[in-house]
Amino acid sequence: MADQSTQSISIDAAPGQIMAVIADFPSYPEWAGFVQSCEVLDATPNGRARQVRFLLDAGVVKDDYVLEYDWSPDESRVDWHLVRGQMQKSQTGSYQLQPAGEATEVTYTLAVDLSIPMLGMFKRKAEKVIMDTALKELKKRVEE
């Protein structure tokens, strides 16, 4: 399994507001820079996405992949894993939301293993850029 990378950011909003943005997959192309399209393939009985197809264009890495999501009952956490992909052999990740006064601390954990060989230091740098961008774009979307 791939090494994990973890990053956090403070967002001036309640956990429920943040989780609503995370769960609104059809809107991702509007605010998540690398996501070209996003389609919910399957949903849970309560309406949360279970499987989502992404078309990603992050410059060097372009991929068409499906993730499966597992939402915590209290909506403080969402985990996911790769079902299928072209460039990726595996992907696991999570968003953990922790109230911190008036704000919420959002911790993003990501582990990606690509089908093509890539030096560890380059892979970690790519993960850091993806995570940094995703967290900043999430913060901007929630706080706008």
Side-chain angles (χ1 to χ4, degrees):
M1 189 49 157
D3 292 333
Q4 280 191 164
S5 296
T6 301
Q7 240 176 291
S8 297
I9 197 167
S10 180
I11 298 179
D12 291 328
Q17 290 174 269
I18 298 166
M19 196 58 83
V21 171
I22 292 169
D24 184 10
F25 293 104
S27 294
Y28 274 40
E30 297 171 15
W31 62 270
F34 301 133
V35 178
Q36 301 301 298
S37 72
C38 203
E39 173 189 7
V40 176
L41 302 176
D42 185 33
T44 64
N46 71 358
R48 287 288 195 216
R50 185 186 335 260
Q51 286 196 355
V52 181
R53 178 178 176 226
F54 293 84
L55 288 177
L56 180 81
D57 185 349
V60 186
V61 177
K62 293 175 176 41
D63 204 0
D64 178 348
Y65 61 98
V66 175
L67 298 178
E68 184 164 303
Y69 288 83
D70 182 22
W71 305 87
S72 68
D74 66 357
E75 299 214 334
S76 66
R77 182 181 179 96
V78 60
D79 295 272
W80 62 86
H81 67 272
L82 183 73
V83 174
R84 68 176 182 274
Q86 295 173 337
M87 292 284 294
Q88 300 174 72
K89 282 196 289 191
S90 70
Q91 180 186 140
T92 58
S94 68
Y95 280 112
Q96 174 77 44
L97 281 55
Q98 181 68 43
E102 297 291 312
T104 300
E105 188 75 13
V106 179
T107 302
Y108 183 9
T109 302
L110 182 66
V112 177
D113 198 6
L114 298 175
S115 300
I116 56 171
M118 185 180 279
L119 289 175
M121 64 182 205
F122 292 123
K123 191 170 83 99
R124 282 186 295 281
K125 174 72 173 163
E127 284 177 354
K128 182 183 179 334
V129 168
I130 289 168
M131 294 174 72
D132 191 51
T133 302
L135 285 171
K136 285 178 179 170
E137 289 174 339
L138 175 64
K139 178 180 175 75
K140 183 178 176 189
R141 178 72 172 198
V142 171
E143 292 180 352
E144 65 181 30

